[in-house]
Amino acid sequence: TTAKASLFGHIDAMVTAPLSKTSIASAGMKDLGHTGILRRVVGKKDLFMGFIGSQFNVVLATGHIPIADVPSALSAKRLEKAIAAADILRQILPKKAAANPLALLGLNPHAGEEGLIGHEESKIHLAALEAARSKGIEIEGPLVPDAAFFKENWRKYSAFIANYHDQGLIPFKMIHGQESGIHMTLGLPFVRTSVDHGTAKDIFGKNKADARSMTLAIEWALKLCRSSVSLELE
């Protein structure tokens, strides 16, 4: 209902709390998380999970899918669209951060080591990088995944584009925890922000929840509503 209200312009933005994937399944729904629900309601396939943190930012090329399905889900076109989504995210950052290039991570260890440990980088990553650069997007890659998030790179790139969920979110959540990161959906025709953490059922009713990510998500929703930047992909 809230998504439809946002879609039709009845409200300016939506901010969501954590949602249990198993609870969605138990309710008989096929959507896997908020992003899946939004895809269905809005009718847009190409939505991307973006994460803004106090130290660095991440965009996921794929979302909540099994690790075994990642290689087949990746294509040069998919990566190109993820880069475009990251470029949108860059436009809403402070000027100093927005001036930095984007970074695309490789899929395999050592970013494939010139084909010795996988061929995705040479077959799809380089094609996506070339396509993005032809559109004037400044981007580097494919970066070696296990070295990409070294501290000296945090301010070097405006956003890291990760191939799959854990590749981007393990480092993001280790650094930002529940205190200084938020999640937003890139590609929507309206603003949707959220916390960057899960439901934490283990602390239900114990007065231990940390509300800082929710506060930031609300602040970013207000900021984006006042901004002229569109989060929708062409």
Side-chain angles (χ1 to χ4, degrees):
T1 302
T2 306
K4 288 183 178 179
S6 299
L7 181 62
F8 296 130
H10 300 315
I11 59 177
D12 293 322
M14 61 182 292
V15 182
T16 59
L19 190 62
S20 168
K21 311 296 184 295
T22 52
S23 295
I24 296 175
S26 298
M29 299 175 67
K30 295 182 179 180
D31 307 298
L32 199 58
H34 282 112
T35 307
I37 294 172
L38 291 168
R39 283 195 183 99
R40 174 171 53 81
V41 172
V42 179
K44 285 184 174 289
K45 179 181 178 182
D46 295 318
L47 300 182
F48 294 88
M49 300 170 69
F51 296 83
I52 292 181
S54 60
Q55 303 301 322
F56 58 84
N57 313 296
V58 169
V59 172
L60 305 182
T62 60
H64 294 111
I65 62 174
I67 194 72
D69 295 343
V70 170
S72 60
L74 289 174
S75 64
K77 194 66 177 178
R78 180 69 182 178
L79 288 177
E80 185 182 345
K81 289 180 179 179
I83 293 170
D87 196 47
I88 291 175
L89 184 145
R90 173 164 56 182
Q91 295 174 43
I92 65 176
L93 298 175
K95 289 184 178 180
K96 188 175 181 179
N100 296 329
L102 299 170
L104 175 63
L105 275 62
L107 173 65
N108 298 294
H110 300 195
E113 195 73 60
E114 299 183 2
L116 294 175
I117 319 176
H119 299 280
E120 285 84 1
E121 287 77 11
S122 60
K123 288 184 176 180
I124 64 174
H125 288 68
L126 293 182
L129 288 165
E130 183 179 351
R133 288 166 181 154
S134 71
K135 296 178 181 178
I137 298 176
E138 188 179 1
I139 184 167
E140 297 181 11
L143 271 59
V144 174
D146 65 358
F149 291 99
F150 283 168
K151 191 172 183 178
E152 56 263 32
N153 289 335
W154 293 357
R155 301 303 182 191
K156 183 178 180 181
Y157 301 110
S158 55
F160 296 89
I161 299 132
N163 295 270
Y164 56 93
H165 185 278
D166 285 9
Q167 187 184 54
L169 290 191
I170 288 175
F172 185 86
K173 291 187 177 183
M174 282 185 67
I175 297 303
H176 299 100
Q178 300 177 29
E179 302 86 26
S180 58
I182 66 113
H183 170 206
M184 68 174 56
T185 305
L186 300 165
L188 283 173
F190 55 84
V191 173
R192 180 259 172 165
T193 63
S194 185
V195 295
D196 71 340
H197 56 74
T199 55
K201 292 181 179 179
D202 57 315
I203 60 170
F204 277 13
K206 297 181 180 180
N207 198 30
K208 292 183 178 180
D210 190 325
R212 281 177 286 183
S213 184
M214 175 58 78
T215 300
L216 285 173
I218 295 170
E219 291 174 352
W220 266 99
L222 292 171
K223 178 180 178 179
L224 291 169
C225 285
R226 297 166 182 151
S227 169
S228 59
V229 177
S230 171
L231 302 180
E232 190 170 10
L233 288 168
E234 294 180 2

